[in-house]
Structures are given as C-alpha cells and as structure tokens.
C-alpha cells in the first residue's frame, strides 16, 4: 500500500515500451555468430542467421546469402527487411593484408547496403574486432591496450570496417558498437578458427596413439600469456550492447 492507501503501480517488465527487436547475425556458422544467434533465441528474440552454408543443428531461421556477391546480398537480404539489429561476425581469411581488407570490407559493405535497400529499420550494429587492432599480430605491443589508443600505421581490415560502419551509422542514424575479444572459444561445427577444437582434436589423436598430451609448440609459446574469450559470455555481452545506450 502507498501512503494514501492505494495499491502501488506494478513495475514495468524489462524492455516494456520498447520496439521489438529482430536480429540478423551475419556469419552464423562461426563460433561467435552461432553463440549469439542461440543466445537471442534463448531469450525469445526473433533471430535469423546468415551464412553461405547451412548451420548444423540451428533452431533459428537460416538465410543462405553470399555477402561477397553484391547482387546476391541485395536479393537475399530482402527477406530480412524487418531487421532492427545486425550482429556482424562474418569473416574470410586471406594470405595478405590487402586481400583481407578487400574481402572483409566487401562483406560488411554489402550487408549494410542490402539491408538499406530492403528498407530495414536498423537501430544497432555490433562489429567484432580483436587484438590485431592493437598490433598483437605484429609482435610486442603496449599493454594495457586501450580503445582510445591511436591506430597503428600498418593497414588493418579492422580499421577499414570500422570506418565503413561509422560512416553508415552517421548517415543512417543507427548506433554501432565495436567489441574486441581475443581468441574466442566455444561450440561450432566445421569451423577451424577455434583453438578449443584444435586442442580437443590434438588430445584425441594423442589418446588414440597412446601418447602423453605434450605441448607441441616452442618454449616461447609455452611461456607466453594468452587470453581467450568464452563465446557464450561474448554472446551475452553482445545482447547487452545491442540495447544499452552507453555501448553505442
């Protein structure tokens, strides 16, 4: 009871009054994308997963779209015209920096353009980066590394993608978040970019051959401190960032 004898007004449930979310996860076959799509699904949020190949065991709608093909992206993303939140975890490995920049910039550009052509009411985009933004792939770098640190002079596809996203966000009025996990580990089928899977395969081979589980690398690698990020934790952080104004 309140002081005047009336029943108190019930508190609004979380998310009440907000427009509903419809999430598109690009790169849903990867370790990050798979966990993010599953996390949104677990919370009851409409979610679609986008990848060129079907995702084994997925319980969300799958869009078979090749984001490298601009026309295919435009046609395929027409089926996601109600998307409010894009989670961009698509990535293609290439042997040179120039090739990495070219293909990964195209992936993001075609995804954003395809959603714009479809008239999607986009409100937020999450983009993943990583330790290469600080020069982790070049050798020693300053620690602690901070997001406000100046960019390195070396070309890096993270920088190109971030510039593409910031320009699109400024022009179209949506929010953007860049998350920088280090090595991400978790469950994904048929995706080799997962050190947890590599260790599991190596351990299985050692067991089959009745060999001890020896460290297979160099002394320098053995002594190095390395950080990994749990994919399920990253998925929860992604969901948080998608609706938290401070993360924009």
């Amino acid at each position: 009871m309140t002081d005047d004898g009336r029943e108190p007004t019930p508190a609004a449930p979380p998310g009440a009054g907000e427009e509903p979310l419809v999430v598109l996860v690009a790169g849903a076959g990867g370790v990050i994308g798979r966990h993010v799509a599953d996390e949104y699904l677990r919370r009851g949020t409409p979610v679609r997963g986008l990848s060129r190949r079907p995702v084994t065991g997925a319980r969300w709608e799958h869009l078979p779209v090749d984001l490298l093909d601009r026309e295919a992206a435009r046609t395929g993303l027409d089926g996601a015209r109600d998307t409010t939140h894009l989670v961009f975890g698509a990535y293609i490995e290439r042997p040179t920096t120039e090739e990495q920049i070219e293909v990964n910039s195209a992936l993001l550009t075609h995804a954003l353009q395809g959603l714009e052509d479809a008239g999607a009411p986009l409100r937020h985009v999450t983009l993943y980066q990583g330790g290469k933004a600080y020069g982790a792939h070049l050798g020693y770098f300053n620690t602690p590394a901070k997001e406000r640190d100046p960019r390195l002079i070396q070309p890096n596809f993270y920088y190109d993608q971030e510039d593409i996203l910031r320009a699109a966000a400024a022009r179209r009025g949506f929010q953007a978040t860049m998350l920088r996990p280090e090595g991400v580990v978790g469950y994904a089928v048929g995706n080799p970019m997962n050190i947890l899977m590599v260790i599991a395969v190596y351990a299985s081979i050692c067991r089959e051959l009745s060999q001890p589980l020896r460290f297979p690398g160099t002394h320098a690698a053995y002594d190095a401190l390395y950080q990994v990020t749990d994919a399920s934790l990253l998925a929860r952080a992604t969901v948080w960032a998608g609706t938290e104004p401070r993360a924009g």
Side-chain angles (χ1 to χ4, degrees), residues 8-33:
T9 303
E18 297 179 358
E19 292 294 325
L21 276 63
V22 179
V23 180
L24 176 66
V25 179
V31 180
I32 294 176

Side-chain angles (χ1 to χ4, degrees), residues 19-237:
E19 292 294 325
L21 276 63
V22 179
V23 180
L24 176 66
V25 179
V31 180
I32 294 176
R34 174 65 183 265
H35 282 78
V36 171
D38 285 347
E39 180 64 21
Y40 271 115
L41 183 69
R42 187 184 69 81
R43 295 171 183 243
T45 302
V47 57
R48 297 184 181 96
L50 185 155
S51 63
R52 288 178 296 171
R53 293 179 293 274
V55 180
T56 303
R59 294 177 291 119
W60 24 262
E61 180 185 352
H62 176 254
L63 294 180
V65 178
D66 182 2
L67 290 178
L68 269 185
D69 186 324
R70 182 173 58 182
E71 185 59 27
R74 187 188 66 81
T75 303
L77 289 173
D78 191 63
R81 59 175 57 243
D82 54 349
T83 298
T84 63
H85 287 61
L86 170 64
V87 178
F88 195 83
Y91 172 75
I92 295 178
E93 180 64 39
R94 285 291 188 265
T96 68
T97 299
E98 290 73 19
E99 290 174 290
Q100 281 188 340
I101 291 173
E102 180 181 4
V103 296
N104 288 289
S105 295
L107 293 177
L108 179 59
T109 298
H110 295 164
L112 293 172
Q113 190 60 56
L115 289 174
E116 182 174 9
D117 291 344
L122 203 58
R123 302 205 303 263
H124 189 275
V125 177
T126 298
L127 175 67
Y128 299 103
Q129 301 177 332
K132 290 179 181 178
Y134 307 112
H137 58 308
L138 301 174
Y140 294 104
F141 61 99
N142 292 331
T143 57
K146 298 182 181 298
E147 288 81 359
R148 64 175 176 267
D149 290 346
R151 289 181 176 181
L152 304 174
I153 61 173
Q154 289 86 352
N156 190 321
F157 78 91
Y158 286 151
Y159 303 157
D160 294 79
Q161 283 189 324
E162 183 173 335
D163 290 343
I164 290 168
L165 181 56
R166 286 184 181 276
R171 180 172 59 84
R172 296 170 56 185
F174 59 76
Q175 293 291 313
T177 301
M178 276 63 72
L179 297 177
R180 291 179 176 174
E182 192 37 42
V184 181
V185 296
Y187 173 79
V189 176
N191 190 299
M193 293 188 63
N194 186 354
I195 194 172
L196 183 64
M197 183 197 71
V198 174
I199 293 173
V201 170
Y202 175 62
S204 298
I205 293 172
C206 290
R207 182 178 63 180
E208 182 68 21
L209 298 177
S210 300
Q211 295 292 320
L213 186 63
R214 297 188 177 98
F215 184 76
T218 65
H219 283 289
Y222 183 83
D223 289 334
L225 181 64
Y226 187 64
Q227 172 180 296
V228 296
T229 301
D230 180 80
S232 60
L233 177 61
L234 180 59
R236 297 198 298 275

